[in-house]
Amino acid sequence: MREVLKGAQLLGIQCVADACRDILGETGDNPTNQQLPSRRKQDRCYVTRAVSPVRPVWRSPEDTPEYTRASHLGRLMNGSSHWSQEFTPIPHRPEDTPSEEEESGAQGRATPHHSQSQGGGASAGSGRKRKSQTPQQCPVCQKIIHGAGKLPRHMRTHTGEKPFQCSACGVRFTRNDKLKIHMRKHTGERPYPCPSCPARFLHSYDLKNHLSLHSGDRPFECPLCHKAFAREDHLQRHRKGHSCLELRTRRPRRGTDPRGSPPSESFGQQHLDHMSVAAAAQLLEGHGGPMQGVPLLTGARMPYPELLWRAVVGPVGKALDKAEGGSSPHGSASVTHRTWEEEDEEQEAAGEEEE
DNA sequence: CTGGGGACGGGGCCC
DNA sequence: AGGGCCCCGTCCCCA
């Protein structure tokens, strides 16, 4: 434990250091010790302080601070099985009543099914049969995990624990079902054959992706350059790359759209991005029409980065001002100092015009 | 930069 | 509650 304490101090993981001191019976010099009245609250406290408010996305769990911290925590808490016991379902403000817990479920409606722990509420009978299994909050990343027994599964993503090992090649997995799929590589089983060609696939979704190749469907279109993709993730990659400039923030991850648009409504956000271009184009047109050699409508391929840059920063405006003797109704400065709010209004107007 | 395959994690349903 | 199975979305890697 002293080694852990030393390591925690070295790494600056104050919460773990505090826990070590607590276990070792040392008071330590951290005043936060006095703020931890109960074990449960302590645990929560570790979590909140262990996770940085600005949490980068890490790919390899072994590389993550969370991994390191979770490993420490896991050891401190005597094994991963402890997670599910120590951390209870989420609607857990102590003052919550059972009915409030029902309400705070992710689905936001009464659970038609069960549950044992909540009195098996008179199944409203409508909707899905077995909807909400009490959601639980991950103590490390605060994420809400839905589904009974899913929290331990999720916790393994933090601890790096991979209890399922392939007997053929030794590769380890965090989940049994992933191991099962992996085993198909050794058995040669590819249970998802393409009906149109000899291709066979390990995963159903691979077949689904593959089928779009045969159909030629490219339902995912870039709102900026109108290039179409067969796969949504390819569109996302395209949009994140340099080939398509986005003036606004990137599309939020699912469920985190600050504008409140529902998940999967990617079109909404794409439309907004598209509107940014349209607004920029309008700005240019407001300066006296399209630049030479640069089409301003959004339907054709064009150097958007340059176009947008000029539209927002204003050299085009200057050039046009110069060309027109400064008679443009919008000075370049007005372009340069436009605010997001103004641009939003423009976007809305542009959207209406386009409709 | 794109197309394609695969890996990974989360959620729903069921037992 | 725990776990299996399946589907989905996203990301990574490679050609």
Side-chain angles (χ1 to χ4, degrees):
Chain A
M1 190 54 63
R2 291 196 180 281
E3 291 300 315
V4 174
L5 172 59
K6 199 180 295 179
Q9 287 174 330
L10 204 62
L11 296 169
I13 310 173
Q14 189 59 46
C15 53
V16 174
D18 290 346
C20 292
R21 289 194 198 93
D22 186 38
I23 294 170
L24 290 168
E26 299 174 359
T27 54
D29 52 2
N30 191 332
T32 57
N33 276 339
Q34 285 96 41
Q35 301 170 359
L36 307 176
S38 73
R39 177 63 191 269
R40 184 171 299 280
K41 286 189 177 178
Q42 276 189 16
D43 293 332
R44 286 188 178 176
C45 188
Y46 299 158
V47 168
T48 26
R49 286 184 288 153
V51 178
S52 162
V54 181
R55 196 168 63 89
V57 177
W58 302 82
R59 196 52 192 170
S60 167
E62 288 78 8
D63 293 332
T64 66
E66 286 85 351
Y67 172 80
T68 305
R69 291 164 184 158
S71 297
H72 285 298
L73 289 170
R75 292 188 206 108
L76 290 172
M77 298 172 70
N78 199 23
S80 59
S81 63
H82 215 66
W83 294 114
S84 55
Q85 298 165 14
E86 191 69 20
F87 298 98
T88 41
I90 46 168
H92 290 182
R93 297 185 310 273
E95 64 275 17
D96 280 345
T97 65
S99 61
E100 284 169 339
E101 290 186 352
E102 289 272 342
E103 226 176 64
S104 63
Q107 310 308 321
R109 56 178 178 179
T111 57
H113 176 74
H114 77 267
S115 74
Q116 299 100 325
S117 62
Q118 296 173 6
S123 97
S126 63
R128 296 170 185 171
K129 279 186 290 184
R130 302 185 52 179
K131 185 62 192 137
S132 97
Q133 298 180 340
T134 314
Q136 294 174 296
Q137 185 170 27
C138 170
V140 175
C141 68
Q142 311 296 305
K143 186 168 185 174
I144 307 303
I145 304 299
H146 299 266
K150 295 299 192 292
L151 183 58
R153 182 179 83 174
H154 168 81
M155 291 313 302
R156 288 198 287 268
T157 68
H158 293 302
T159 64
E161 182 189 8
K162 296 185 175 182
F164 305 99
Q165 185 171 24
C166 173
S167 56
C169 68
V171 176
R172 306 183 74 95
F173 296 88
T174 59
R175 290 163 55 167
N176 194 21
D177 53 339
K178 302 307 176 187
L179 171 60
K180 187 181 175 184
I181 291 177
H182 165 82
M183 290 308 291
R184 293 175 184 168
K185 290 166 76 175
H186 298 298
T187 62
E189 181 189 6
R190 287 175 170 262
Y192 302 99
C194 174
S196 306
C197 73
R200 304 179 69 94
F201 299 92
L202 290 170
H203 307 97
S204 60
Y205 42 89
D206 288 334
L207 173 59
K208 186 183 167 188
N209 283 334
H210 174 81
L211 287 176
S212 66
L213 300 179
H214 288 302
S215 67
D217 285 346
R218 290 172 172 261
F220 305 100
E221 182 178 324
C222 174
L224 295 183
C225 70
H226 291 260
K227 182 174 175 57
F229 296 85
R231 281 168 47 173
E232 187 176 13
D233 59 327
H234 284 171
L235 171 59
Q236 289 182 11
R237 182 179 64 183
H238 166 79
R239 294 183 63 192
K240 286 175 184 173
H242 300 296
S243 58
C244 253
L245 179 68
E246 286 184 338
L247 281 178
R248 313 302 297 271
T249 56
R250 283 180 179 173
R251 173 187 169 197
R253 292 177 70 92
R254 291 185 155 271
T256 60
D257 187 345
R259 293 172 183 268
S261 64
S264 298
E265 263 198 18
S266 56
F267 175 77
Q269 185 64 31
Q270 292 173 358
H271 197 60
L272 284 173
D273 292 333
H274 193 167
M275 288 307 98
S276 300
V277 177
Q282 281 199 337
L283 282 173
L284 289 176
E285 288 178 330
H287 286 288
M291 289 187 302
Q292 279 188 342
V294 180
L296 287 178
L297 294 179
T298 58
R301 282 180 177 269
M302 66 186 73
Y304 277 113
E306 183 185 0
L307 169 64
L308 294 171
W309 172 255
R310 292 184 183 183
V312 174
V313 176
V316 168
K318 273 187 182 174
L320 289 171
D321 281 349
K322 192 175 178 182
E324 297 174 1
S327 62
S328 170
H330 306 290
S332 58
S334 68
V335 175
T336 307
H337 295 112
R338 288 162 52 78
T339 65
W340 291 122
E341 288 77 12
E342 288 168 337
E343 197 178 318
D344 279 339
E345 291 172 9
E346 289 256 357
Q347 288 177 2
E348 288 175 11
E352 288 170 7
E353 280 195 18
E354 196 168 272
E355 287 174 6

